[in-house]
Each structure stands twice: as structure tokens, then as C-alpha cells.
Amino acid sequence: MASYKFSDKVKASKVLIEKAIEDKIIFIEKDVKCVFPFGAAHGFISEDKLTESIAEFLLSKPEYQTGGEFEGFILKSK
Amino acid sequence: MAISYSSVDIRGKAYEPIVEELLFANDTVGKSHVAFEDNVKAETIFTENTNTVTMQAYTSGAPSSSGSLNINDTTVTPVKVMYYQEFDTNTLRPTRFKRDMKAGAWNIESSEFGTKVLGAYGNSISEDVQAKFWSGATSATKVAVAALTPGVGQASVGAAEQTYVASLTAGQFDGVVTRFIYNSGAVGKRIKVAGTTITSSNIDAEYAKVYAAIPAKVLASNVKPRLYVPYSHRQLINIFNINATYRDKFSVTGDSYYYLGVEIFFEPLPENCIIAARPDYIVWCTDLLSDITFMKIDRIAPNREDFFVKNIMTIFAHVLNQAMSVLYLG
């Protein structure tokens, strides 16, 4: 089964992530290497969320293909 | 928490208007873009009924029962949420806000701060709750959708749908888009249309896919369906129309936009997402609608001079008759 990763072209962006502190969940801003398939205000896909089906969906979009804005952002892991 | 204020000690005049951040108005509530069900404290039942009938040859003997009467109940309990912030007006003493503080060391309340800054805080709450009504997912839903195998069939979660839910930071309740994708422990019954990245060039073709998927009986019904689309589509539509050779494919009258007679409503939706649904099939459930705009401001304790601002509300995004609604996501 193929697995995927981000290339060095993907930059870190400030996003909200969950952090558990004792029995509470708080949200903190952190720099995370990620892409925004649905716009910056509607979630992000970081490398740990990059399943095979998500990666193949992203690669099917024109912006991730040859000549697209995000060409070379997602690579198959060797 | 102290007020985060890059201030300048006031010596002369201040430019009177405080430049506020530009926020989207909560038109979902303010202009009734969807249906509302208030007075929902807990366990309100929404009942959906679908029936099938079978014409059969007459017989004077014992008839055979044929067809079905289907009733499905969903109980909805809005989630109770709050916005809470503490602030210390003592930090405002050397700033522009001291101008309307009364004399005396005890008096550190500024009505300008209250009306302008805290008023803007209230507008931020309204914008945020609208955004989450449309676009959000709980941890439990994220885990459930991540465990599904995506497929092209209607009964399967789409690859775009799974990616969307995975991308969201976990929130307090599932938004409208998530509810269409997954609810009541199963993939939603929406009419799924696989999409792509929408640009000003292909927006007409992609809207045509959504329009074609709307059930004919919905277009013919007495409550007309609407197209709910991201804010960015207003610009994409205008650019498309400007570039169109002979006629506008999208009708624009004042601030109203239409595609083939179906009115378009701009919402805080994810990019490359279009929902076609009757407005009475998308329900904002709450205890009291005006809770969105009610804020309590008071001292944190009687023996302290710092304050809190707090907003409490209950909210739930419910979608009815999903089989009659279209979700396009790309």
C-alpha cells in the first residue's frame, strides 16, 4: 500500500490544534506543515492526516498536478 | 487575561472612529437563510414521514396490503456552548479610553471601550457561531468518518467528504456540511456530487452539475430550493459573467444572484462546496435565538476590579429530508 508525504515545498502555517491538559482540551496556535484543500478558514491537512485516500484525492485536483500551483507538494514515500 | 493592547499614552487627540476588523454579518440568522427552531432545550423530536403506495387490480375478496408508511424520528439536543473572556480596564488608564472615565481611582470603566470594543467582540461571536453552524465536526464524527472506506457510490463517503471532515479542528457540534456527510451513525442520505476546484472559468459547468442533480420534485415544490455557496463565489460569478460572450449565465439583480432560477446564498462554507436544498430542510436549533447577541459583562468578583464578558447559547445544526438535498464537494 502506497503512503504519501509532503515535500519541502509545503511550508508551515499557524493553525489551531488540540492539546489535552489533564482532563481538559484546549486549542493552541502552532506552526504546522500543512495544506488547505478547502480554504484557510476551513481546516487543514497535516502530514499525520495524509492517508492514502486523502493524498490521492488531493493529487486528483488540478492544482496538485503538472503545471498546478501546488505541483510537487505531495510525494509518494519510498 | 489582560487586554492585549499596543497602546500609545494619549496626550493629544484620538481619531474618533476605532477601526474595527471587517467581519461577515451573520446573514444566516439576520436574513433567515435557513429555518429556525427555538425553544429547543433538550430532546426535541423531528419526525420525517415517507410513504409508498401501490396501485393494484381490484378484488372483491380479501385485499393484500401493499406499500409502506415510514416514519423516522430524530431527537435533537442542542449543545450548550459559551464564549468567555476576562479583561482588566486598569490597563486603559493611560490610553484614549481614559477620556470618558469618571474621576477617582475607583472609576476605570470606559463607555467607549464598552460600546466599541466589547460591541465588536459581540459581532465576532456572531460571525464565529455562523461559521461553525455551517462548517464544523466533533471529535467523535471525525473518528467515525476517518474509519470509513471512501467510494463513488451514493451510500459511500466521498474522498472529498472524508478529506473535508479530516481537515477540520474538532469542535463542539457538527456543522451542516458534516451533517450531510455523516449523521445518526451512518453516511448521510444526501445526493452526492463529486466536485473539483471551482474557478471563474469552470463555475458555470460545476453549478450545472449541482442543478442537474436537484430532484425535479424539489424544483417544482412550493418552497423553492436554494444554492448555498462559499463567499468567494460572488467574485467568481462576477468574473465569469464579465468574460461571458453573449449572455450572463448567472442572473444578478442588485445583491441577489440566481442560477437557472435558483437563488444563490453566500455562506461561510468551505471552498469548492455547494449545497442545493430547500431552506426548511436546514434547521438552526437553539433554546433562544437572541442568546447569540446577549453578553453578560461584570466584575469577576466583588472584591476585584477586573471584568469578564460572557456569552452562553445552545445550538445544533439539523438537516431534514437529506435525500432531497445535494452536496457538491471537491
Side-chain angles (χ1 to χ4, degrees):
Chain A
M1 190 162 97
S3 62
Y4 295 83
K5 63 177 184 177
F6 287 146
S7 73
D8 291 339
K9 291 182 179 180
V10 178
K11 303 299 173 202
S13 301
K14 222 176 260 304
V15 293
L16 269 181
I17 60 166
E18 284 184 26
K19 189 179 171 74
I21 295 183
E22 294 176 351
D23 60 342
K24 284 189 187 161
I25 300 285
I26 62 167
F27 295 95
I28 57 171
E29 274 195 335
K30 200 174 174 189
D31 283 327
V32 173
K33 213 167 150 179
C34 61
V35 294
F36 302 96
F38 301 100
H42 295 278
F44 61 93
I45 294 292
S46 49
E47 205 161 55
D48 59 325
K49 298 181 189 179
L50 199 63
T51 63
E52 186 179 348
S53 57
I54 289 176
E56 289 176 359
F57 162 68
L58 292 174
L59 286 168
S60 73
K61 290 162 74 67
E63 59 266 36
Y64 287 87
Q65 294 174 6
T66 305
E69 187 184 352
F70 305 135
E71 180 188 358
F73 271 42
I74 298 174
L75 305 171
K76 257 192 193 157
S77 296
K78 289 191 180 135
Chain B
M1 171 184 164
I3 298 166
S4 173
Y5 191 165
S6 301
S7 67
V8 172
D9 291 358
I10 188 163
R11 290 184 181 82
K13 287 171 58 174
Y15 178 66
E16 281 313 316
I18 295 175
V19 182
E20 297 176 9
E21 60 179 326
L22 206 52
L23 301 173
F24 282 110
N26 187 343
D27 286 343
T28 303
V29 172
K31 294 185 180 172
S32 300
H33 285 186
V34 299
F36 299 96
E37 185 69 21
D38 60 5
N39 210 21
V40 180
K41 271 232 173 346
E43 300 257 323
T44 291
I45 295 174
F46 285 81
T47 302
E48 295 179 52
N49 165 233
T50 56
N51 305 317
T52 61
V53 297
T54 308
M55 180 183 284
Q56 49 186 298
Y58 172 75
T59 174
S60 54
S64 302
S65 177
S66 187
S68 62
L69 301 168
N70 305 304
I71 304 172
N72 183 49
D73 276 354
T74 308
T75 53
V76 164
T77 297
V79 175
K80 196 162 188 176
V81 298
M82 72 175 184
Y83 294 85
Y84 179 79
Q85 181 104 18
E86 293 176 356
F87 58 95
D88 183 2
T89 54
N90 196 48
T91 56
L92 304 178
R93 279 196 303 121
T95 72
R96 65 178 289 151
F97 297 106
K98 76 174 182 188
R99 296 177 302 164
D100 60 359
M101 288 181 185
K102 292 187 181 135
W106 284 97
N107 297 317
I108 50 172
E109 292 170 38
S110 159
S111 60
E112 187 188 19
F113 179 80
T115 53
K116 301 283 175 58
V117 178
L118 295 183
Y121 181 74
N123 293 338
S124 296
I125 290 174
S126 191
E127 185 194 50
D128 187 65
V129 75
Q130 181 192 215
K132 289 183 168 55
F133 170 77
W134 287 101
S135 187
T138 61
S139 291
T141 299
K142 284 169 60 69
V143 167
V145 173
L148 299 171
T149 302
V152 297
Q154 286 293 320
S156 299
V157 72
E161 294 174 336
Q162 190 178 60
T163 303
Y164 164 73
V165 177
S167 72
L168 294 170
T169 302
Q172 305 301 318
F173 62 97
D174 291 335
V176 169
V177 179
T178 302
R179 293 282 294 172
F180 271 119
I181 294 170
Y182 189 87
N183 64 84
S184 303
V187 175
K189 296 187 173 59
R190 77 279 175 266
I191 300 168
K192 178 175 75 176
V193 175
T196 185
T197 303
I198 296 178
T199 66
S200 59
S201 303
N202 69 1
I203 190 166
D204 170 40
E206 299 308 303
Y207 272 54
K209 290 178 189 172
V210 175
Y211 182 84
I214 300 173
K217 58 180 86 172
V218 172
L219 286 168
S221 71
N222 57 340
V223 178
K224 296 302 167 198
R226 297 175 173 181
L227 292 171
Y228 297 98
V229 306
Y231 291 127
S232 62
H233 283 202
R234 186 192 300 269
Q235 290 149 284
L236 296 181
I237 287 169
N238 287 336
I239 293 169
F240 177 86
N241 272 354
I242 284 284
N243 292 332
T245 312
Y246 296 110
R247 63 185 176 95
D248 290 345
K249 297 280 185 74
F250 295 85
S251 307
V252 181
T253 309
D255 205 30
S256 299
Y257 286 65
Y258 295 83
Y259 183 75
L260 297 177
V262 182
E263 191 169 0
I264 299 169
F265 287 77
F266 302 100
E267 310 293 351
L269 282 167
E271 295 305 321
N272 314 319
C273 176
I274 303 170
I275 293 171
R278 282 175 38 157
D280 53 338
Y281 290 168
I282 300 176
V283 190
W284 182 307
C285 303
T286 183
D287 194 347
L288 186 64
L289 205 50
S290 59
D291 278 345
I292 298 171
T293 53
F294 180 77
M295 292 197 300
K296 188 163 186 174
I297 302 167
D298 206 345
R299 291 173 195 268
I300 292 172
N303 62 340
R304 294 170 62 149
E305 283 77 53
D306 49 358
F307 290 80
F308 70 86
V309 55
K310 191 173 187 178
N311 170 283
I312 298 174
M313 71 180 83
T314 62
I315 184 168
F316 193 89
H318 189 44
V319 292
L320 294 160
N321 223 348
Q322 296 166 48
M324 294 291 118
S325 299
V326 178
L327 174 65
Y328 169 108
L329 200 52

